Amino acid sequence: MNMIFLGAPGAGKGTQAEVVCKELNIPAISTGNMLREAVKNGTDAGLAAKKYMDAGDLVPDEVVIGVLKDRIAQDDAKNGFILDGFPRTVPQAEALEKMGVQIDKVVEIDVPDENITARMSGRRVCEKCGNSYHIEHKPTKVEGICDACGGNVVQRVDDKPETVIARLKTYHEKTAPLKDFYQSKGKLVSVPGTNGIEETSKAVLAAIKG
């Protein structure tokens, strides 16, 4: 099953994608992590993406699609995948269709803006492998050290309050119209994301299997 997870930055898409990934044995593909890897490696696409990411703006479609094409061609994505962070605009969704990528279901995780701001100020990310944590809801076993790879866990520039506000504004202007796009195709299911990680996971799995 090929899926897209929608929701504002910090709604819990990455966390829920991990849960579904294990349940269905398909990869969760975070374009954010892929782009950050490109930034870290100093690739042309990474350098192009960096100035947009630092400002809380969307990375141009051609940069993201180039990275994504390579990823979904890999063997582990043959039986399905979850896209987290792409598409973010209706033109990107149309580009995905033109690439011949069939999407079976789109899951929206719905969280109010005020909850998002509080959540993201506590979010921390591993510099090495990209794993996400939260100082309250999903802390590392050792403070500042990634459970998975031992890398440094830091607060990203785009999780700081001033950037979060800019990212939410961008989300509502550019990404929210995707709901109508996929609703019209009968592929959208919406799940409340304010009931804690486990309850949200149950609701997401029920929506996918329903």
Side-chain angles (χ1 to χ4, degrees):
M1 182 181 281
N2 299 341
M3 287 175 281
I4 293 167
F5 277 28
L6 283 183
K13 298 184 298 296
T15 301
Q16 295 306 325
E18 283 177 27
V19 172
V20 176
C21 165
K22 286 174 187 167
E23 183 78 14
L24 301 182
N25 197 28
I26 58 176
I29 300 174
S30 164
T31 49
N33 283 350
M34 287 194 299
L35 288 169
R36 281 188 286 277
E37 186 68 21
V39 169
K40 185 176 156 191
N41 293 338
T43 65
D44 289 344
L47 294 172
K50 187 176 190 301
K51 62 181 178 180
Y52 296 97
M53 292 163 73
D54 286 349
D57 291 333
L58 296 179
V59 178
D61 294 359
E62 62 270 19
V63 178
V64 183
I65 290 170
V67 178
L68 184 62
K69 273 184 175 176
D70 292 340
R71 180 62 187 89
I72 62 176
Q74 292 176 21
D75 286 345
D76 67 339
K78 291 280 196 298
N79 295 324
F81 52 81
I82 298 165
L83 292 184
D84 165 21
F86 188 90
R88 294 192 186 210
T89 64
V90 171
Q92 284 180 344
E94 290 168 346
L96 204 58
E97 289 188 343
K98 284 176 189 165
M99 280 167 62
V101 179
Q102 172 66 35
I103 298 299
D104 302 304
K105 196 157 276 192
V106 178
V107 180
E108 182 209 9
I109 300 171
D110 187 25
V111 181
D113 284 3
E114 57 269 23
N115 297 55
I116 295 285
T117 309
R119 266 186 202 184
M120 290 183 75
S121 62
R123 188 156 77 168
R124 300 293 183 268
V125 176
C126 175
E127 288 182 311
K128 193 172 174 185
C129 72
N131 272 8
S132 285
Y133 299 93
H134 193 282
I135 54 174
E136 289 180 25
H137 309 300
K138 193 186 174 186
T140 52
K141 289 171 185 167
V142 179
E143 189 175 345
I145 303 296
C146 178
D147 295 351
C149 75
N152 289 329
V153 173
V154 298
Q155 183 179 42
R156 298 197 324 242
V157 171
D158 54 359
D159 287 337
K160 291 182 176 175
E162 61 274 20
T163 315
V164 171
I165 291 165
R167 291 176 74 198
L168 284 170
K169 182 172 182 287
T170 302
Y171 173 77
H172 291 303
E173 287 173 359
K174 302 282 180 72
T175 307
L178 279 171
K179 291 192 281 186
D180 292 337
F181 180 82
Y182 285 114
Q183 181 78 56
S184 70
K185 294 175 181 292
K187 293 180 179 178
L188 182 74
V189 290
S190 188
V191 173
T194 51
N195 299 325
I197 293 173
E198 286 187 17
E199 285 303 312
T200 303
S201 297
K202 285 178 190 171
V204 167
L205 288 167
I208 288 167
K209 293 173 179 178

